Amino acid sequence: VLDVLKGGVSHVSVVGRRGHVQGAFTIKELRELTKLDKEGHNVSFVVRKEELEMGMTDASMEELKGPGGRPKSRIDKLLQDNALEEDAQSTDAEKSVEIRFLLNPTQLAPHESNVSKVGHVLCERTRLEGDPGKQRPIGTGEMEELPADLVLVSIGYRGMPLEGMEELDFFDSSSSTVVNEHGKLPGENNLFVTGWIKRGPTGIIGTNIMDAKDTVKSVMNYLETSVPVVSVESQGRDGLNDHLDAHDVKAIDWNQFLRIVSAEIDTTRLRSKAQPREKILAVSEMLNAAQR
């Protein structure tokens, strides 16, 4: 953000569909933004008090109090301490970074004097509905235009079902998650999930720790109370290799993986000295690197 502001941009808006309690950012990232003006960059940090208040539903309050809520509570306090009333948002700084909540970008509109360029982003005000940890943004019909010369879209994560999951009613297409109860898939099976495919793309490292503990507890309960479901006799690595060979699957081994890594960190691929690696995106290019 700082590099962008130094390059001539005067205002940066970060727009999120849900509230600040559901944000995936860390307190360290936010704290750096609050320090921009104090550290002499002439950049103010703006967050609107009324948007913080709109996001504080009963379910959001429960999220702050529940497991993994401590990092969210610290973020809430930091934002509340830096929040401004709607009529008190002017500062002496020449540039600003503003975080907006409960706004859903719905349309890009062209610039009035040049239709080949973006002029503003049309956003719909949202409200939160749902249980703690499962709140979703619902459109209210209230619209707002944000002036813009450049728009960067963060598409985010969307879970996809494995083959056969939908036929077994194991996948919830509305939330893009695997149907589960504390990580355990329904029915007589030994299937478990954790992470974003379990709860959706929310939270930070601390959230994942609590989420994993929840699933591990289900695994331990299953082992103590159920007869394990065993479909085939485990044959370890040899069995896996035989299975791959039988289906003519050419797998990448560890040494080949290291060749891919070596290709990615090759200095001739890097765009700057600060860049640690240039990821290879095409599978065909990865395979070529693995065979070198």
Side-chain angles (χ1 to χ4, degrees):
V1 171
L2 190 56
D3 288 340
V4 170
L5 291 168
K6 287 180 178 178
V9 175
S10 62
H11 180 81
V12 174
S13 292
V14 181
V15 179
R17 296 177 302 138
R18 295 185 296 172
H20 67 287
V21 176
Q22 294 76 42
F25 40 68
T26 66
I27 192 167
K28 181 178 180 180
E29 292 168 334
L30 285 178
R31 191 177 289 121
E32 290 300 316
L33 292 178
T34 65
K35 295 179 179 178
L36 291 176
D37 197 26
K38 296 178 182 178
E39 294 180 349
H41 299 293
N42 201 23
V43 179
S44 64
F45 173 70
V46 180
V47 61
R48 305 189 180 203
K49 190 174 185 64
E50 63 272 15
E51 289 185 345
L52 299 183
E53 293 174 348
M54 285 189 290
M56 292 301 288
T57 62
D58 291 342
S60 292
M61 295 295 291
E62 289 299 318
E63 290 178 28
L64 292 179
K65 298 175 183 176
R70 184 172 180 271
K72 292 179 179 292
S73 295
R74 295 175 63 202
I75 288 173
D76 174 58
K77 184 178 186 307
L78 179 64
L79 289 175
Q80 296 286 357
D81 290 345
N82 285 272
L84 297 172
E85 301 286 353
E86 189 171 10
D87 58 355
Q89 292 176 14
S90 61
T91 67
D92 294 332
E94 295 180 356
K95 302 183 178 185
S96 62
V97 175
E98 182 174 14
I99 298 186
R100 301 295 306 275
F101 297 106
L102 299 171
L103 281 180
N104 180 29
T106 60
Q107 183 181 344
L108 301 182
H111 196 280
E112 293 180 357
S113 61
N114 187 342
V115 295
S116 65
K117 295 183 178 180
V118 67
H120 64 261
V121 181
L122 187 64
C123 299
E124 181 179 16
R125 172 66 68 193
T126 63
R127 68 174 186 275
L128 295 176
E129 289 186 4
D131 297 328
K134 298 181 180 180
Q135 294 188 88
R136 302 188 65 80
I138 307 299
T140 65
E142 178 187 347
M143 308 303 292
E144 179 177 344
E145 287 186 0
L146 300 181
D149 296 306
L150 173 68
V151 178
L152 302 177
V153 180
S154 176
I155 298 175
Y157 164 93
R158 182 175 179 83
M160 300 294 290
L162 295 174
E163 183 178 351
M165 272 191 168
E166 291 178 301
E167 290 79 0
L168 295 171
D169 293 328
F170 281 170
F171 193 78
D172 182 358
S173 297
S174 63
S175 62
S176 298
T177 58
V178 172
V179 177
N180 71 92
E181 184 69 27
H182 296 290
K184 171 70 174 65
L185 272 66
E188 295 297 324
N189 56 63
N190 55 356
L191 302 176
F192 301 84
V193 290
T194 190
W196 284 2
I197 199 64
K198 171 186 174 184
R199 69 179 190 277
T202 60
I204 54 177
I205 293 176
T207 314
N208 290 326
I209 292 173
M210 300 304 298
D211 185 79
K213 288 182 177 179
D214 179 55
T215 297
V216 169
K217 185 176 180 181
S218 294
V219 172
M220 298 304 296
N221 181 65
Y222 171 80
L223 293 175
E224 293 172 357
T225 61
S226 306
V227 177
V229 177
V230 180
S231 56
V232 294
E233 182 179 354
S234 174
Q235 298 177 342
R237 184 182 181 88
D238 291 337
L240 174 61
N241 289 334
D242 292 342
H243 179 79
L244 295 176
D245 291 340
H247 291 78
D248 196 28
V249 176
K250 305 301 181 183
I252 297 296
D253 62 26
W254 178 248
N255 289 329
Q256 290 174 314
F257 170 74
L258 292 179
R259 292 183 196 137
I260 296 175
V261 173
S262 179
E264 290 180 339
I265 62 177
D266 187 339
T267 55
T268 60
R269 286 177 54 87
L270 306 184
R271 289 166 289 165
S272 73
K273 293 181 179 179
Q275 185 181 1
R277 70 174 62 208
E278 177 75 14
K279 292 290 292 182
I280 297 176
L281 302 181
V283 174
S284 58
E285 190 178 352
M286 292 182 192
L287 294 176
N288 288 335
Q291 300 303 326
R292 291 173 188 168

